[in-house]
Amino acid sequence: MAETFLFNIAERVLEKLVHLSAQEIRLAFNVKTDLKKLEDTMISIKAVLLDAERQQHQNEKLRLCMWKLRGIFYDAEDVIDDFKCEALRKQDATNHPDINNLKVRVLGSCCLPLSLSLKMSHKIKDINGRLGKLATEWKSFELRQCSDNRHVFRRETISFVDSSDVIGRDKDKENIISMLMKPSEDRNVPVIPIVGIGGLGKTTLAQLVYNDDQITSLFPLKIWICVSEEFDLSRLLKLIIQSVNKEERCDDSTLDGLQARLRSLLNDKKFLLVLDDVWNENQAKWVELRNLLRSTDGFSLSKIIVTTRSLDVASIMSPNRPYILKGLPLEDCLTLFTKWAFNDGAEKHYPNLIRIGEEIVKKCKGVPLAVRTLGSLLFQKTDESDWIYIRDSEIWRLDQHENDILPVLKLSYNHLPSHLQRCFAFLSLYKKDKVYLSDDVIRLWMANGLLEHPKQNQEWEDVGKRYLNELLSRCLIQKENKFRLKFTFKMHDLVHDLALDVSQKECKIVNSETKTVDENVRHLLLCDEKLVEVPHVLEEMKNVRTIIIQDALVESKAIHESVINLCVSNFKYLRALELRGLPLTALPNSIGTLKHLRDLDLDGCSRIRELPRSFNKLRSLQSLNLRDTDLKQLPDSLQRLIELSHLVITIKATHLKEIQAGCWTSLQYVKLVRCINLECLPEGMQYLKSLRTLALRYCIRLVSLPWSLKFLTKLEHLVIVDCAQINLKMEAEEEEDNDLQLSLKTFLMDGSDALTDLPRLLLQGSSSTLQQLQISWCPNLFVLPSWLLNLTSLQKLEIKDCGNLSALPEGIDRLTNLRELTIDRCPELSKRYRENGVKIGTKLLTSKRLLLMNED
């Protein structure tokens, strides 16, 4: 069922209201009054929103009222962002004065013009009026305040399973039994976490193991506990006691009495404890239970199995690597599907249905509960049209019961905090089997204001990375590959179905077959070769915030331009616009009217040679991707974009224009890609005080780095790839350079024929912060400098394809924090250290920590 995300939207709007009051804009008294009224109203509504979200599925009137509120809250956010846009306009006018904005300078940078003040006041009054009209209806629901503790409720599981009903898990069962039979190495009882998404069969696997004859012989006492909703110590102790002694009644027992009774029941007993469906991520709660179990005499011989959907839960409960449960092979899925779709043996009479069934099973991607759900929907149905309907329908659109796949997966969604729910739903704006790039997703989240405000010493990107790590730990996404400072990930098709289900009125994938789009939708993916047939569904929409265009034919230049013009004219509150690979020769000058635009992606628009004159009006722009465009040079006006934090550039020029003082003060990430004529980085780099990442890729004529980099005290990552002529020599060092305090954490150098030495100034200046040093394909690097030993924080040293490098610096053992040393295709180095390893402090780095790759 579509979610409103109302609680999270309210949080973000209130956060912006608070920040607005702290801004320098001087507001008229009536505007201040109206904003305060809006804030008070929203606070009172938000206080009961969690109760509303829980009741909405049983109360259609409440649900409709919440959808109305959602529209009002979004409009309120747009108005508040208008204030931010005006503040940016004034700041730009102050920084770049000319005759046209003389009036602004006379009025001062902190006052709203009277006409704008009246206009804003009218908009806020309108929003307050709309909220007032809903007030009576809202109060009639008698909602109450409640906490944001997200409990998961599900049916109770039992220990019994009919093994004849389980298909394809024999090998997994053997693996778990083998782990249980290994003797314990210390006093900590081995905990074996079984981890995977909902419906994969974690509980079933635990049941198979629990009922195996070997396990019954090995563990005289077996205890099955369904933990589920909350990890409460008293409740779990009672369940364990009652499992051991069915006659026990301990409802009135104190915690002290419960632990005493537990010890008396478990003393001298070797037991297997299964904790099924654990969601607890509070380590202290687990330690309490573990310590009580540890106090029993038979504990060291006992074992615990935990089933969970969370890698964080697994790491809290066990230091050992969890058992990651995989999907079933297709053949096993077909067997399971047949078992649920037909009576025994009946399938041989319907070969036509079996052929369709094979295609249906492929949709399940190895998840047994999904196979069972779809098989059950077709039980005793022999009409081919019924099977074709299931085959051609999205799983999330099919009617399902409480224990079917989508409701079971929905438990994982329900357990997410509100801010993660909305970010998770946003991932539905990609097609199935899409490989997501972490940076792209984070920037879209940022552009749409989905991230919590960063804490001290954090940036928005750090918050986005934390969100992705949380989704990874909950098995809602799976990491594919890591690429230097970013990674790719995928989402299981069924989890994607879940995202589609909850985001029905938030995100929409539009193609030539789309007839209508709900007016509530804010984010659109246009993906069709026949893009000419798409615009008709967009003409009546006004509130879209994200447009992504994919899979359009490159020949249809005029069509693309008409679609872009439609988006620019219709969607005045657009936050993100992704036009990758389109055959555009230019952007419309009207793009300057998109004052709320924060993310513009023109990657691969290889025919764009210049940016429109109005580009400097995109003052809210945070991220700009100009990779693989045909730009000759960056316009001067681009430096006026003071909110810009992420910039990727491909240009034809030999030099970039000098960076002026006071410009690009928010810029944190700069990447230059395939700037094949570029000979040097721009002057004025010292003004990029916020820069954290500098990446240079395939700038084949670049020969050096500017001296001004030494002033970038926030620079954390320097990545240089395929810049064949760069030698990293900087201007003559000055005496005070010996005391530089820089912050580099990662230095990566890949592919330079000219490199003969490492940049001492940058690396030794980061001696207390540098953690990763990677060098590859540098054939003229003959020796590593002795000052490398000063990099006391270094944890990872990777050297590849440096054929003339023969030795590490003498005294390498002083790098006591080094955890991983990789030497690959460096014959002399490998020969030297293959037999003896490398001594680091008192440790000898061998095997996993010293990776000496084969030379073939």
Side-chain angles (χ1 to χ4, degrees):
M1 184 177 286
E3 299 286 320
T4 63
F5 309 106
L6 199 53
F7 184 81
N8 180 254
I9 295 170
E11 279 187 321
R12 295 290 84 82
V13 175
L14 283 168
E15 191 177 81
K16 288 183 176 184
L17 279 169
V18 171
H19 279 86
L20 178 63
S21 64
Q23 286 180 351
E24 294 182 1
I25 298 180
R26 190 176 300 150
L27 303 173
F29 177 75
N30 59 326
V31 177
K32 277 188 176 181
T33 303
D34 291 334
L35 282 172
K36 185 66 172 69
K37 181 179 179 181
L38 174 60
E39 183 179 354
D40 291 344
T41 303
M42 289 195 66
I43 288 172
S44 64
I45 291 173
K46 177 179 172 284
V48 296
L49 272 180
L50 290 174
D51 190 32
E53 288 184 351
R54 289 170 183 149
Q55 293 190 37
Q56 62 177 318
H57 302 297
Q58 289 77 42
N59 189 329
E60 185 62 21
K61 284 186 177 180
L62 172 59
R63 186 165 176 77
L64 290 173
C65 187
M66 290 176 69
W67 280 110
K68 292 175 187 175
L69 276 177
R70 175 181 176 270
I72 297 173
F73 285 4
Y74 266 136
D75 290 346
E77 186 175 32
D78 288 337
V79 173
I80 296 165
D81 284 350
D82 279 338
F83 283 102
K84 173 70 173 177
C85 292
E86 177 60 19
L88 290 172
R89 188 187 70 81
K90 286 178 172 296
Q91 190 173 346
D92 179 55
T94 302
N95 293 345
H96 305 280
D98 58 46
I99 192 68
N100 294 320
N101 55 45
L102 178 62
K103 187 176 180 180
V104 171
R105 286 186 285 141
V106 171
L107 285 172
S109 63
C110 57
C111 297
L112 280 178
L114 179 60
S115 59
L116 184 62
S117 183
L118 291 172
K119 184 178 178 181
M120 302 294 259
S121 177
H122 175 76
K123 287 183 177 181
I124 300 165
K125 285 182 184 296
D126 178 65
I127 290 169
N128 282 330
R130 289 159 64 191
L131 287 173
K133 288 179 182 178
L134 276 180
T136 303
E137 183 180 8
W138 186 250
K139 289 176 182 177
S140 70
F141 299 120
E142 298 182 352
L143 302 168
R144 57 185 179 81
Q145 292 189 35
C146 53
S147 64
D148 193 15
N149 294 326
R150 295 183 180 264
H151 296 301
V152 176
F153 298 94
R154 58 164 293 180
R155 64 180 177 81
E156 190 79 13
T157 63
I158 59 175
S159 60
F160 174 76
V161 66
D162 187 340
S163 59
S164 65
D165 285 338
V166 183
I167 294 167
R169 290 302 185 197
D170 290 343
K171 183 62 178 175
D172 293 303
K173 185 179 87 167
E174 290 174 14
N175 291 341
I176 298 295
I177 289 174
S178 174
M179 294 165 75
L180 289 171
M181 296 182 77
K182 287 181 181 177
S184 303
E185 295 181 358
D186 53 34
R187 192 164 174 265
N188 285 321
V189 65
V191 177
I192 303 170
I194 303 174
V195 181
I197 63 171
L200 206 52
K202 301 180 295 295
T203 297
T204 301
L205 175 57
Q207 290 168 330
L208 282 175
V209 171
Y210 189 91
N211 289 285
D212 186 83
D213 290 341
Q214 294 178 77
I215 296 302
T216 301
S217 301
L218 189 62
F219 297 100
L221 177 60
K222 297 186 297 181
I223 305 165
W224 181 280
I225 303 298
C226 180
V227 180
S228 216
E229 61 198 64
E230 58 179 320
F231 204 93
D232 178 73
L233 182 62
S234 177
R235 169 179 168 265
L236 293 178
L237 292 179
K238 290 175 183 178
L239 289 173
I240 293 171
I241 290 168
Q242 289 168 354
S243 178
V244 176
N245 183 0
K246 302 293 187 292
E247 305 300 320
E248 194 87 29
R249 291 289 176 269
C250 44
D251 293 342
D252 299 327
S253 300
T254 63
L255 192 58
D256 192 58
L258 290 171
Q259 57 181 319
R261 183 57 181 148
L262 180 73
R263 278 195 294 271
S264 68
L265 288 171
L266 297 186
N267 266 344
D268 301 320
K269 299 281 197 331
K270 180 182 179 182
F271 61 85
L272 171 66
L273 172 62
V274 175
L275 298 174
D276 184 40
D277 196 29
V278 180
W279 297 79
N280 169 61
E281 294 181 354
N282 184 331
Q283 185 179 19
K285 290 186 176 184
W286 158 242
V287 169
E288 281 184 323
L289 177 61
R290 184 200 64 194
N291 289 346
L292 285 180
L293 293 172
R294 184 188 283 171
S295 66
T296 62
D297 291 339
F299 183 74
S300 60
L301 300 174
S302 301
K303 301 288 172 69
I304 298 175
I305 293 175
V306 172
T307 71
T308 180
R309 304 184 188 192
S310 169
L311 288 167
D312 282 349
V313 170
S315 65
I316 284 170
M317 300 185 75
S318 173
N320 303 319
R321 183 174 296 179
Y323 190 84
I324 306 296
L325 191 59
K326 305 294 185 184
L328 292 180
L330 180 60
E331 186 177 341
D332 289 331
C333 286
L334 284 169
T335 304
L336 182 62
F337 177 81
T338 302
K339 187 179 182 70
W340 283 92
F342 297 98
N343 283 317
D344 290 343
E347 68 275 8
K348 59 189 174 185
H349 302 300
Y350 302 97
N352 60 321
L353 299 184
I354 292 297
R355 285 192 294 273
I356 300 171
E358 289 178 4
E359 297 179 65
I360 292 172
V361 165
K362 288 177 183 177
K363 292 159 55 110
C364 301
K365 295 293 179 77
V367 176
L369 184 56
V371 174
R372 192 190 81 177
T373 297
L374 299 189
S376 300
L377 289 174
L378 292 169
F379 182 63
Q380 292 189 334
K381 292 183 179 178
T382 56
D383 191 322
E384 194 171 285
S385 64
D386 291 328
W387 287 62
I388 291 173
Y389 172 76
I390 296 294
R391 181 196 67 188
D392 295 342
S393 297
E394 297 277 8
I395 290 178
W396 63 274
R397 293 186 183 278
L398 300 172
D399 290 336
Q400 299 187 34
H401 301 293
E402 181 183 356
N403 293 321
D404 286 340
I405 183 60
L406 205 61
V408 166
L409 281 176
K410 185 81 182 294
L411 295 173
S412 294
Y413 170 83
N414 292 339
H415 199 255
L416 293 173
S418 62
H419 60 270
L420 268 185
Q421 287 183 342
R422 200 168 164 209
C423 288
F424 168 76
F426 201 92
L427 297 180
S428 69
L429 202 63
Y430 297 83
K431 295 187 296 184
K432 283 185 179 177
D433 291 323
K434 165 76 176 178
V435 176
Y436 304 78
L437 185 62
S438 57
D439 277 17
D440 291 348
V441 169
I442 290 171
R443 287 198 301 276
L444 282 175
W445 284 347
M446 285 174 58
N448 283 282
L450 304 189
L451 303 180
E452 294 173 305
H453 205 273
K455 297 174 182 176
Q456 192 173 10
N457 298 323
Q458 276 194 333
E459 301 294 343
W460 292 102
E461 289 83 358
D462 299 321
V463 179
K465 288 174 185 175
R466 174 165 57 83
Y467 283 18
L468 285 176
N469 286 331
E470 287 189 53
L471 294 176
L472 281 167
S473 74
R474 296 167 189 262
C475 297
L476 291 170
I477 58 177
Q478 292 83 42
K479 188 178 289 188
E480 285 278 295
N481 292 297
K482 192 174 189 314
F483 298 103
R484 300 185 180 100
L485 305 179
K486 58 190 77 172
F487 65 90
T488 58
F489 63 92
K490 292 188 75 173
M491 180 182 278
H492 193 285
D493 280 5
L494 294 173
V495 178
H496 190 272
D497 281 326
L498 172 64
L500 285 169
D501 183 44
V502 299
S503 67
Q504 290 176 53
K505 294 189 177 183
E506 183 82 2
C507 305
K508 179 72 175 178
I509 298 177
V510 177
N511 55 39
S512 56
E513 297 179 0
T514 305
K515 305 302 180 188
T516 60
V517 179
D518 191 290
E519 63 178 5
N520 291 294
V521 168
R522 267 15 188 224
H523 313 288
L524 294 175
L525 168 64
L526 312 183
C527 57
D528 205 303
E529 293 183 352
K530 304 174 183 176
L531 199 59
V532 67
E533 299 178 23
V534 171
H536 72 279
V537 300
L538 307 180
E539 290 171 354
E540 299 303 317
M541 303 186 72
K542 300 295 180 186
N543 299 317
V544 174
R545 294 184 169 201
T546 302
I547 289 284
I548 300 174
I549 299 180
Q550 289 179 358
D551 301 337
L553 287 173
V554 295
E555 291 85 2
S556 50
K557 168 180 170 288
I559 294 168
H560 290 98
E561 290 180 352
S562 68
V563 173
I564 304 307
N565 285 327
L566 175 65
C567 292
V568 171
S569 61
N570 266 27
F571 309 142
K572 294 302 181 186
Y573 290 99
L574 205 62
R575 264 65 168 189
L577 181 60
E578 183 179 304
L579 309 173
R580 288 190 175 185
L582 298 190
L584 302 169
T585 56
L587 293 173
N589 198 53
S590 57
I591 197 167
T593 63
L594 299 179
K595 63 180 181 179
H596 292 275
L597 191 66
R598 298 169 186 166
D599 183 33
L600 178 60
D601 192 338
L602 301 173
D603 187 351
C605 295
S606 58
R607 302 181 190 180
I608 290 183
R609 295 189 171 188
E610 61 180 7
L611 300 175
R613 295 185 62 179
S614 65
F615 209 81
N616 65 296
K617 294 183 180 179
L618 299 177
R619 301 181 187 94
S620 298
L621 205 61
Q622 298 170 346
S623 174
L624 176 60
N625 190 345
L626 299 172
R627 176 178 176 143
D628 292 337
T629 58
D630 197 30
L631 288 175
K632 303 302 179 187
Q633 180 59 274
L634 295 182
D636 292 336
S637 60
L638 201 64
Q639 292 194 30
R640 296 173 65 169
L641 303 180
I642 54 178
E643 287 289 285
L644 199 63
S645 64
H646 188 281
L647 178 62
V648 182
I649 311 167
T650 298
I651 64 163
K652 304 298 183 187
T654 58
H655 295 75
L656 284 164
K657 294 182 179 180
E658 182 178 354
I659 299 169
Q660 302 298 316
C663 294
W664 282 344
T665 52
S666 300
L667 202 56
Q668 297 181 22
Y669 180 100
V670 173
K671 184 174 185 179
L672 304 181
V673 187
R674 277 184 282 279
C675 301
I676 57 176
N677 299 315
L678 192 68
E679 296 175 357
C680 60
L681 295 182
E683 293 297 321
M685 290 285 289
Q686 68 270 23
Y687 297 126
L688 303 182
K689 297 295 188 183
S690 299
L691 193 66
R692 299 173 72 199
T693 300
L694 176 61
L696 309 171
R697 185 180 181 90
Y698 205 72
C699 300
I700 56 177
R701 293 199 173 122
L702 192 65
V703 296
S704 63
L705 297 177
W707 65 272
S708 51
L709 288 189
K710 69 181 184 180
F711 297 109
L712 302 183
T713 56
K714 289 189 177 181
L715 187 65
E716 296 179 351
H717 310 289
L718 179 57
V719 177
I720 305 172
V721 178
D722 293 332
C723 299
Q725 296 188 42
I726 200 164
N727 58 31
L728 299 185
K729 289 182 179 177
M730 301 173 71
E731 290 190 6
E733 299 165 14
E734 300 171 4
E735 188 174 341
E736 62 266 23
D737 289 343
N738 295 324
D739 299 321
L740 279 180
Q741 296 293 316
L742 302 179
S743 306
L744 271 183
K745 294 180 180 178
T746 303
F747 175 75
L748 186 150
M749 182 74 207
D750 184 351
S752 172
D753 294 335
L755 186 78
T756 58
D757 198 1
L758 299 182
R760 188 198 72 82
L761 191 66
L762 294 177
L763 298 188
Q764 195 164 348
S766 306
S767 59
S768 63
T769 60
L770 192 72
Q771 298 173 8
Q772 294 189 45
L773 176 58
Q774 297 172 254
I775 310 162
S776 54
W777 289 105
C778 297
N780 291 310
L781 184 65
F782 287 83
V783 64
L784 292 177
S786 59
W787 53 257
L788 196 72
L789 306 180
N790 297 329
L791 307 181
T792 54
S793 295
L794 195 64
Q795 298 176 13
K796 178 179 180 180
L797 175 58
E798 185 175 291
I799 307 169
K800 296 183 178 181
D801 297 288
C802 297
N804 288 314
L805 197 60
S806 59
L808 299 174
E810 290 296 327
I812 191 75
D813 60 302
R814 285 162 46 189
L815 296 178
T816 54
N817 284 313
L818 194 64
R819 298 291 177 265
E820 185 177 320
L821 171 59
T822 301
I823 300 173
D824 186 9
R825 293 188 294 276
C826 301
E828 295 300 317
L829 274 182
S830 295
K831 181 180 178 181
R832 185 181 184 107
Y833 298 113
R834 185 177 300 281
E835 293 183 5
N836 301 320
V838 181
K839 189 175 182 182
I840 303 296
T842 58
K843 303 183 289 292
L844 189 68
L845 283 191
T846 55
S847 63
K848 292 181 181 178
R849 288 178 293 174
L850 172 58
L851 305 176
L852 292 170
M853 306 297 185
N854 293 328
E855 302 305 320
D856 45 31

